[in-house]
């Protein structure tokens, strides 16, 4: 059977562009550089705080927003026209949405909402001539992706990340999504293993390793060493990132290296509480808030180490950015982190929640500039070899090009 490249690809995310998901923006840009037409769609319109840079602002303007359209009664009604013109397809997708519901009235209501969103998106896909739909994260937005692709009669695929889309694979019917997808882009071997656990072995060959990636050229090697060692944390200020643990380790480390400084880049629901918790540390801790990609690169270039003591992760792109900046990283041994960071070579990989080990690792790097430099160079080399976005985009583009527009799907409602 001959294979043809999809003429037009659409990407769907729950929120796009978003500060915490710049890897999607990079992936889209890299695919476009390879000559693929990629349209972007988002369930919700993101707040302007997510549009810090020119690229983010431009993407925000060109992205189709499902809920904004669905709030227009005429547009929502028009999206239900296939109930009359293509009843078999329409009601098959509706039955599938209903069959995926979790127990409870609220869960059932959400499935109907996802179906309504899918009808609006499907109409947009057909109007704009989209021939392949790709989602990011395997939870609600990929439920919409799968249903919209069925309504529009086009193939779909999705990227499996973690941790959020791996915490409850039964609820989000990861097995069904893998079965019906043309392929699944797994960001790590860990993510692929969890998909293998959920999916039938007949579909394991669809599970492909495609890393999230960075542009190494964006990140200049760290500059002159600081008199006072600078630690940087980049991420959402949320419980899962372990920032309170970082404060405890930082305070302990300062007993040995009193001039240590810590900058936190990012924002989130825990910021106010974390600012209160950090108050006893005075001006040794700086909250920098959200920053553009270029600003983050500048901060990394002025830092001596990155620390990310998360309790759950996928494969953190911020660690790739730090490694591309030739600074060592300290991270926790969760999910796919050890696939990126080589313990003792490009940084330290520690047991999650071990504040004493975290403090010792910080002190070790703070007191050994030569070791920091060696680790930094090793990290940069690994990112260039395995996590550069252009190489990952080429692999993803090949998957899109090898997906036939008439990709067969399972028939009926067996799933």
């Amino acid at each position: 059977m001959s294979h043809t490249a999809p003429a037009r690809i659409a990407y769907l995310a729950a929120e796009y562009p978003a500060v915490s998901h710049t890897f999607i923006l990079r992936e889209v840009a890299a695919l476009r550089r390879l000559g693929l037409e990629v349209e972007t769609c988002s369930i919700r319109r993101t707040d302007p705080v997510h549009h810090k840079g020119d690229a983010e602002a431009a993407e925000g303007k060109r992205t189709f927003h499902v809920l904004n359209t669905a709030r227009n009664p005429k547009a929502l009604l028009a999206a239900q026209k296939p109930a009359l013109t293509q009843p078999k397809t329409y009601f098959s997708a509706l039955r599938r949405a209903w069959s995926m519901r979790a127990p409870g009235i609220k869960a059932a209501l959400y499935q109907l909402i996802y179906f309504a969103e899918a009808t609006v998106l499907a109409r947009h896909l057909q109007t704009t001539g989209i021939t392949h739909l790709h989602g990011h994260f395997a939870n609600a937005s990929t439920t919409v992706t799968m249903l919209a692709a069925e309504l529009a009669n086009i193939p779909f695929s999705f990227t499996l990340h973690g941790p959020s889309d791996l915490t409850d694979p039964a609820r989000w019917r990861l097995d069904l999504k893998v079965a019906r997808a043309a392929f699944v882009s797994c960001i790590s071997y860990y993510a692929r293993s969890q998909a293998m656990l959920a999916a039938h072995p007949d579909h394991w060959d669809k599970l492909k390793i495609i890393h999230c990636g960075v542009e190494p050229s964006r990140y200049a090697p760290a500059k002159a060493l600081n008199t006072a060692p600078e630690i940087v944390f980049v991420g959402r200020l949320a419980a899962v990132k372990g920032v309170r643990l970082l404060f405890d380790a930082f305070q302990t480390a300062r007993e040995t290296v009193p001039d240590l400084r810590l900058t936190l880049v990012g924002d989130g629901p825990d910021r106010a509480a974390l600012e209160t918790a950090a108050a006893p540390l005075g001006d040794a801790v700086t909250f920098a808030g959200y920053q553009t990609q270029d600003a983050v690169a500048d901060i990394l270039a002025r830092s001596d180490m990155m620390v990310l003591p998360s309790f759950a992760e996928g494969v953190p792109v911020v660690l790739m950015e730090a490694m591309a900046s030739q600074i060592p990283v300290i991270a926790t041994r969760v999910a796919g982190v050890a696939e990126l960071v080589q313990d003792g070579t490009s940084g330290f990989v520690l047991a999650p929640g071990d504040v004493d080990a975290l403090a010792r690792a910080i002190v070790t790097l703070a007191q050994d500039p030569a070791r920091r430099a060696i680790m930094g160079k090793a990290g940069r080399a690994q990112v260039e070899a395995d996590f550069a976005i252009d190489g990952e985009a080429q692999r993803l583009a090949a998957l899109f090009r090898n997906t036939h527009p008439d990709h067969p799907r399972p028939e009926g409602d067996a799933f």
Side-chain angles (χ1 to χ4, degrees), residues 131-145:
T131 55
H132 188 106
L133 180 59
H134 186 81
H136 265 270
F137 296 96
N139 38 33
S141 61
T142 293
T143 298
V144 176
T145 297

Side-chain angles (χ1 to χ4, degrees), residues 317-399:
V317 174
V318 294
L319 293 180
M320 300 176 200
E321 294 171 345
M323 292 164 70
S325 301
Q326 290 190 201
I327 62 174
V329 299
I330 301 173
T332 44
R333 191 178 293 105
V334 292
V337 169
E339 297 176 34
L340 169 65
V341 185
Q342 296 181 35
D343 185 36
T345 300
S346 53
F348 295 118
V349 184
L350 312 174
D354 190 340
V355 67
D356 293 332
L358 181 57
R360 288 195 298 270
I362 290 172
V363 170
T364 296
L365 290 181
Q367 293 183 324
D368 196 340
R371 188 171 189 180
R372 293 202 302 266
I374 292 169
M375 284 184 160
K377 290 179 180 178
R380 170 82 181 202
Q382 183 171 1
V383 168
E384 289 179 335
D386 299 324
F387 295 91
I389 187 58
D390 285 340
E392 299 308 304
Q394 287 176 359
R395 284 184 274 277
L396 183 56
L399 291 173

Side-chain angles (χ1 to χ4, degrees), residues 247 251 254 272-285 287:
F247 288 164
Q251 189 168 21
R254 291 184 79 223
L274 290 172
E275 287 178 332
T276 300
L281 296 168
D283 61 4
V285 177
F287 287 80

Side-chain angles (χ1 to χ4, degrees), residues 9 11 23 25-36 185 209-214 386-401:
I9 300 165
Y11 262 50
F23 51 84
L25 185 147
R26 290 190 192 121
E27 185 173 279
V28 168
L31 289 170
R32 288 172 179 160
R33 288 196 295 270
L34 291 171
L36 279 72
S185 171
I209 302 295
I210 305 289
H211 298 127
C212 294
V214 298
D386 299 324
F387 295 91
I389 187 58
D390 285 340
E392 299 308 304
Q394 287 176 359
R395 284 184 274 277
L396 183 56
L399 291 173
F400 285 132
R401 290 178 173 132

Side-chain angles (χ1 to χ4, degrees), residues 12 15 51 64 83 144 177 201 277 294 301 318 326 359 382:
L12 177 69
E15 293 185 318
H51 306 164
F64 173 76
V144 176
K177 289 169 180 173
D294 288 339
V318 294
Q326 290 190 201
Q382 183 171 1

Side-chain angles (χ1 to χ4, degrees), residues 18-23 50 231-244 246-247 262-271 274 286-292 296 299-300 306-310 312-313 316-322 330:
V19 170
S20 57
H21 295 158
T22 54
F23 51 84
H50 292 274
I231 302 169
V232 63
F233 163 94
V234 182
R236 289 187 73 244
L237 300 184
V240 70
K241 297 296 183 179
V243 179
R244 288 181 179 273
L246 174 55
F247 288 164
L262 169 63
T263 298
L264 297 106
V265 179
D267 213 326
D270 285 2
R271 177 164 180 169
L274 290 172
T286 299
F287 287 80
Y290 284 136
Q291 298 290 326
T292 65
V296 170
I299 292 170
L300 290 171
M306 156 83 79
V307 180
L308 191 67
S310 303
E313 282 289 354
V317 174
V318 294
L319 293 180
M320 300 176 200
E321 294 171 345
I330 301 173

